[in-house]
Amino acid sequence: MRREIPLIITAVVGFVYVIQYFIPHYPFNNLNGWFSDWFSIIGACAIWLGALNLMRISFDKVYKKRRDWGYSIIIILSFALIVVIGFGGGRDFRDLGTNFDWLYRFIYTPLSATMFALLAFFVASASYRAFRARNLEASLLLVAAFFVMIGRVPVGDALVTKVAGLISLPIPDAVLPSKIATWIMNYINAAGQRAIMIGIALGIVSTSLRVILGIERAHLGGE
Amino acid sequence: MMKQDLIVYLGVLILALVFYFVITEPVVFSPTVSLILIGIIGLVLLYILIKTIRGQVFGRRTVFLFVGIAVVLPFFMSIRQDIKLSPEVEELYNAVMALQPGSKVLVSLDYDPPSAPELQPMAESFFLLCFRRDLKVIVMGLWPQGPQQAELAIQKILDRPEMASRNIRYGIDYVNLGFQTGNEFVIQRMGGSFRSMFSTDYYGTPYDSLPLVRNITNFNNIDFSFNLSAGYPGTIEWVQVAVDRYGVKLGAGNTAVQAPQVYPYLRAGQLTGLLGGLNGAAEFEKVTGVLGKGTKFMVSQSFSHVIVIAFIIIGNVAYFMGRKQETKKKQ
Amino acid sequence: MEIFGTWLAAFFTLGIISFLYKDNPWYKVSEAIFVGISAGYWFVISFWDNLYGKLYIGISEHGDYMLLVGAVLGFMMLLRLIPKIGWISRWPLSFVVGSISGFYLMNYFSSNVMAQVQNSILPFFSSSYGQPMFSASFEQIVGNIVVVVGTFTGLVYFFFSKEHKGAFGGMAKVGIWVIMITFGASFGYTVMSRMSLLIGRMDFIFGDWLGMIQ
């Protein structure tokens, strides 16, 4: 029962979605609507599961006084703070000027934004230490990156026209870095991305088929 | 806590206090000072190049420092840049301009604050363009933070003096439907009925009490759609479901990380125009004639790209010189 | 409150940036608050927008009782927190996996395979279907050839069931060049993206907080 019912659910739901692609009429349109609604509710519960699990782990860490347990207290307190404010604010909890909005603007936004902004430093340092034109392939990568980086900001064209002006060399529009970058993006990049896209899609299609037919059961885990 | 840490913290605090209370006026460098500063940075880079060729590898903190300088310094320089339009941006602009006044535009903001520097300027200029053209805007989000970012953007636009005479009203000229979990399934469900996915709007008002959306059943009633995306779910899902299944006309603004991946859709005509990264935002600001943060940030963007390229060149020159010396030794 | 908020935001921004110096308590405190606040944020939003706005309102005001099935499945998901009966969560999980599989099977095939193949094979000399002959510009003609050749050879490179030798190997070689240029372009865009985010934060520090920028 623990395995069979999930397998049946997967197969039925999967088939319904496939069929409704071709027959978007009764009863498949209704089934499709219901399933999408349920998916959405399960999604919300999955978010709750993740948050509650984080709390469980944090409480456990504090209770057992594991290493750095003090930070877990901070996690619990900040979670409790926003939850109390969020629920206490009623349906209008996030209107502009509310406490929730304040937390969002002054705590959530700077923290999350800076976390990702840090990557700028690491990407630059990695370029300096590891980005080498060791062979033809690596050189192509480097040259493409160069043109895109210089061509997508105004300084590229400005530099080229200025240097060309100094030695009074006429520069046709087509060889300006911005044009080259646009060309790379629209043609070679589009081709390469398309090849990758088709490859991945074929992989997804075959895996999905295996899941629906019950051949692939990894999501059910071990007994 | 180490004593060293405390000293560093104290240093940062003092510096911040000095900047905050002593420098009360905005700092602007004259062109000469800017040139001198750029020259000094160039010389230091040259020094690093020579040192690297001689075999010294600089630690990552050196690179960090230069990145920081490249980003911050341009804020104080008065440099103007000529931003050129790329065909992808022009296509989006033309598509919006071709819409009749009163057309309904669905805008989905699928991003969170980390991507706001790139996408928020796009959102602002897009909303402005819509309000100017008397288009009716319906906002939603597949990311919970999206509708909240939309509120910030719309508020900023409505505060502009030119908007005062237009009398833009919530519920009639624009609506924020809020967020729903379910990723692409939300789009799929909207294909059948918007109402079933969004029983209430962002403020908890029932769907049928909103004059703008009351008569909107599904995508058939939408004239154009715009999606701002920072990943999953985002533009790819909108193309797959809304465009390919329900025939919606879709334009997109993407973070630069995601933009290259959607070019095949652009080429295939599944997307009508694309704003890629801060550069796309700046271009869109130029074409709409409202110079905002996208344009302002482009100077820093230019400098930081030049610094990254400079470090790549330094690394490679050192690599090739090192290899040459090795082969000489072997001979 | 606004000024206090700005100072607090600056405190956290610098706290995260302090990681560049080294892993230190200031960073760790900021990180812990980030984890707690963002988990709580999602918790609250998914309640009001979904569990209340959709489920509760849907049932109580619109009488959509089918939503109860979703509620039961969602509740089963939460049972994962109780190890003894955690296996029940496989039911909603298999529902999710089934939905995604069925959905992706068709969407990916039509949008990412069929549409892409169809749009790779374009007329050589006219700008698009239905347009007169020789209406395409030189750039378009070259571009169309590049896209067809690039996509095809790129796919050949990903085909590992046959050894990359001879003419096939040659095509795979061209394929890898195309893929490399693609990766280079992606790298360039990644640098652009990361720098933009940093610029945004620095604008906050020197502009909104310290007021040093015009």
Side-chain angles (χ1 to χ4, degrees):
Chain A
M1 279 296 273
R2 288 187 185 190
R3 271 182 167 275
E4 285 76 16
I5 291 182
L7 273 179
I8 293 168
I9 294 177
T10 308
V12 170
V13 176
F15 271 119
V16 166
Y17 270 108
V18 173
I19 294 169
Q20 70 84 31
Y21 185 88
F22 298 102
I23 314 171
H25 307 291
Y26 186 82
F28 297 105
N29 56 348
N30 280 27
L31 283 173
N32 174 29
W34 291 337
F35 285 0
S36 298
D37 286 345
W38 301 347
F39 188 93
S40 163
I41 294 167
I42 295 173
C45 290
I47 290 171
W48 272 43
L49 176 67
L52 293 173
N53 204 29
L54 174 74
M55 284 305 105
R56 195 175 67 167
I57 292 167
S58 302
F59 273 114
D60 195 53
K61 211 167 169 180
V62 176
Y63 182 70
K64 290 183 180 149
K65 294 224 162 40
R66 294 226 180 93
R67 204 170 146 251
D68 282 347
W69 60 274
Y71 296 113
S72 294
I73 295 182
I74 299 178
I75 294 180
I76 295 167
L77 289 180
S78 40
F79 179 84
L81 175 77
I82 194 163
V83 167
V84 167
I85 288 178
F87 285 154
R91 195 65 189 88
D92 310 321
F93 70 107
R94 64 187 152 185
D95 287 6
L96 292 174
T98 55
N99 290 335
F100 191 86
D101 178 57
W102 191 88
L103 284 180
Y104 180 78
R105 281 196 294 147
F106 295 118
I107 298 184
Y108 181 75
T109 300
L111 281 171
S112 56
T114 316
M115 210 49 122
F116 284 86
L118 268 194
L119 293 171
F121 293 102
F122 295 111
V123 82
S125 133
S127 320
Y128 167 55
R129 285 139 63 102
F131 214 0
R132 301 277 183 272
R134 279 175 222 281
N135 49 35
L136 178 64
E137 283 83 11
S139 309
L140 283 173
L141 197 141
L142 206 83
V143 170
F146 172 81
F147 276 111
V148 168
M149 268 194 273
I150 202 79
R152 278 299 189 226
V153 284
V155 74
D157 283 6
L159 275 178
V160 170
T161 15
K162 196 145 239 178
V163 171
L166 283 179
I167 53 171
S168 43
L169 183 80
I171 287 279
D173 230 23
V175 296
L176 285 176
S178 64
K179 291 278 175 196
I180 297 176
T182 301
W183 200 84
I184 290 177
M185 291 314 292
N186 278 296
Y187 296 109
I188 308 187
N189 167 69
Q193 291 289 358
R194 193 170 270 176
I196 296 169
M197 190 183 255
I198 294 174
I200 291 175
L202 289 175
I204 286 179
V205 167
S206 60
T207 310
S208 298
L209 203 58
R210 285 167 61 88
V211 167
I212 295 172
L213 296 175
I215 303 167
E216 179 72 54
R217 301 175 179 194
H219 64 284
L220 297 176
E223 275 302 308
Chain B
M1 209 188 290
M2 300 260 295
K3 203 175 154 191
Q4 198 189 350
D5 287 348
L6 280 176
I7 295 171
V8 172
Y9 295 165
L10 204 69
V12 172
L13 181 69
I14 291 170
L15 207 63
L17 289 174
V18 167
F19 278 154
Y20 195 83
F21 290 107
V22 179
I23 307 174
T24 45
E25 291 290 309
V27 181
V28 183
F29 297 151
S30 70
T32 324
V33 175
S34 307
L35 263 177
I36 292 171
L37 283 172
I38 293 170
I40 293 172
I41 294 169
L43 285 177
V44 179
L45 282 173
L46 201 66
Y47 171 77
I48 292 178
L49 173 69
I50 295 165
K51 279 284 187 188
T52 317
I53 290 171
R54 290 196 180 149
Q56 188 183 339
V57 177
F58 283 83
R60 54 188 204 174
R61 281 182 195 166
T62 312
V63 186
F64 291 170
L65 183 71
F66 271 89
V67 170
I69 291 172
V71 166
V72 174
L73 218 48
F75 286 148
F76 309 113
M77 296 180 178
S78 41
I79 296 176
R80 278 188 187 280
Q81 288 186 307
D82 181 26
I83 292 163
K84 283 187 183 154
L85 278 194
S86 48
E88 327 41 319
V89 176
E90 220 170 340
E91 195 183 350
L92 176 73
Y93 179 74
N94 292 341
V96 179
M97 292 305 279
L99 294 170
Q100 294 298 322
S103 298
K104 295 184 177 74
V105 179
L106 177 72
V107 186
S108 182
L109 287 90
D110 307 330
Y111 65 93
D112 53 358
S115 311
E118 290 175 278
L119 301 178
Q120 199 72 6
M122 297 181 193
E124 286 166 10
S125 34
F126 190 82
F127 286 134
L128 180 72
L129 188 63
C130 288
F131 290 145
R132 266 191 196 159
R133 300 270 309 152
D134 283 330
L135 304 175
K136 307 289 175 190
V137 179
I138 300 148
V139 177
M140 58 165 283
L142 298 178
W143 290 36
Q145 302 89 344
Q148 213 149 347
Q149 292 297 130
E151 285 296 304
L152 295 175
I154 290 176
Q155 212 48 52
K156 196 169 166 187
I157 292 305
L158 293 184
D159 286 344
R160 291 175 71 93
E162 63 171 302
M163 284 296 140
S165 60
R166 292 191 172 269
N167 189 22
I168 308 277
R169 283 159 301 171
Y170 184 83
I172 295 166
D173 299 300
Y174 75 99
V175 157
N176 187 347
L177 291 179
F179 156 77
Q180 275 303 335
T181 49
N183 305 336
E184 54 267 66
F185 290 89
V186 174
I187 314 173
Q188 157 96 349
R189 188 78 170 103
M190 287 168 72
S193 152
F194 278 24
R195 190 179 283 99
S196 62
M197 209 65 220
F198 297 96
S199 312
T200 60
D201 73 348
Y202 181 78
Y203 298 105
T205 318
Y207 189 90
D208 289 318
S209 312
L210 299 158
L212 172 56
V213 289
R214 198 183 291 150
N215 298 322
I216 293 180
T217 314
N218 53 32
F219 290 124
N220 290 336
N221 309 108
I222 296 292
D223 300 295
F224 188 73
S225 185
F226 183 62
N227 161 251
L228 286 162
S229 153
Y232 173 83
T235 301
I236 295 172
E237 286 66 36
W238 277 97
V239 168
Q240 287 178 345
V241 187
V243 176
D244 286 351
R245 292 185 69 167
Y246 298 107
V248 172
K249 200 170 178 193
L250 177 77
N254 277 203
T255 55
V257 169
Q258 203 195 345
Q261 295 166 26
V262 301
Y263 268 85
Y265 295 134
L266 188 72
R267 249 197 93 66
Q270 290 157 299
L271 270 183
T272 312
L274 171 71
L275 312 179
L278 193 61
N279 173 51
E283 288 179 33
F284 200 64
E285 282 179 0
K286 183 183 174 168
V287 78
T288 49
V290 186
L291 302 187
K293 289 218 159 156
T295 313
K296 183 181 157 196
F297 289 169
M298 272 323 268
V299 187
S300 293
Q301 189 84 44
S302 283
F303 270 70
S304 60
H305 282 206
V306 170
I307 286 289
V308 172
I309 290 171
F311 271 105
I312 291 176
I313 292 173
I314 291 173
N316 275 284
V317 168
Y319 169 72
F320 283 110
M321 297 292 253
R323 225 167 49 168
K324 225 184 219 172
Q325 277 170 0
E326 250 173 52
T327 34
K328 254 188 200 167
K329 264 185 208 166
K330 273 181 197 163
Q331 281 167 356
Chain C
M1 252 342 230
E2 289 281 315
I3 294 173
F4 172 64
T6 311
W7 272 84
L8 201 63
F11 173 82
F12 288 130
T13 304
L14 293 176
I16 301 285
I17 289 179
S18 73
F19 184 74
L20 294 175
Y21 163 64
K22 67 176 188 190
D23 197 3
N24 66 83
W26 189 6
Y27 170 76
K28 279 188 181 157
V29 169
S30 310
E31 189 194 32
I33 292 177
F34 172 53
V35 172
I37 289 280
S38 59
Y41 178 84
W42 281 84
F43 195 78
V44 172
I45 295 279
S46 56
F47 173 78
W48 284 116
D49 280 342
N50 192 289
L51 299 179
Y52 177 84
K54 183 173 174 61
L55 180 65
Y56 177 74
I57 299 277
I59 294 172
S60 66
E61 288 182 16
H62 302 132
D64 188 358
Y65 291 103
M66 282 311 283
L67 290 174
L68 282 172
V69 182
V72 171
L73 284 169
F75 180 70
M76 284 175 159
M77 195 75 174
L78 289 177
L79 290 180
R80 207 180 174 84
L81 288 168
I82 307 165
K84 253 187 186 168
I85 47 170
W87 60 269
I88 294 179
S89 69
R90 279 183 196 164
W91 288 30
L93 205 63
S94 56
F95 178 86
V96 169
V97 172
S99 303
I100 291 177
S101 303
F103 200 64
Y104 278 15
L105 181 66
M106 295 320 301
N107 283 349
Y108 271 83
F109 195 67
S110 76
S111 300
N112 288 19
V113 182
M114 297 307 280
Q116 301 307 319
V117 172
Q118 190 186 10
N119 285 290
S120 293
I121 303 162
L122 295 171
F124 257 138
F125 298 114
S126 51
S127 53
S128 68
Y129 288 108
Q131 295 299 313
M133 191 82 161
F134 303 113
S135 58
S137 66
F138 176 71
E139 188 196 336
Q140 274 176 325
I141 296 171
V142 176
N144 285 348
I145 296 172
V146 166
V147 170
V148 174
V149 173
T151 307
F152 184 69
T153 53
L155 279 170
V156 167
Y157 171 72
F158 285 125
F159 192 77
F160 295 114
S161 304
K162 186 170 158 41
E163 206 178 339
H164 289 179
K165 265 172 145 182
F168 190 77
M171 281 195 279
K173 191 106 193 156
V174 176
I176 185 89
W177 294 341
V178 173
I179 302 279
M180 279 299 153
I181 295 176
T182 306
F183 286 159
S186 290
F187 176 82
Y189 263 69
T190 305
V191 169
M192 187 161 125
S193 201
R194 299 304 174 218
M195 290 301 165
S196 313
L197 306 190
L198 182 63
I199 293 167
R201 286 331 289 159
M202 290 298 132
D203 176 57
F204 165 76
I205 290 283
F206 289 93
D208 299 344
W209 179 42
L210 297 173
M212 291 167 68
I213 306 173
Q214 225 168 14

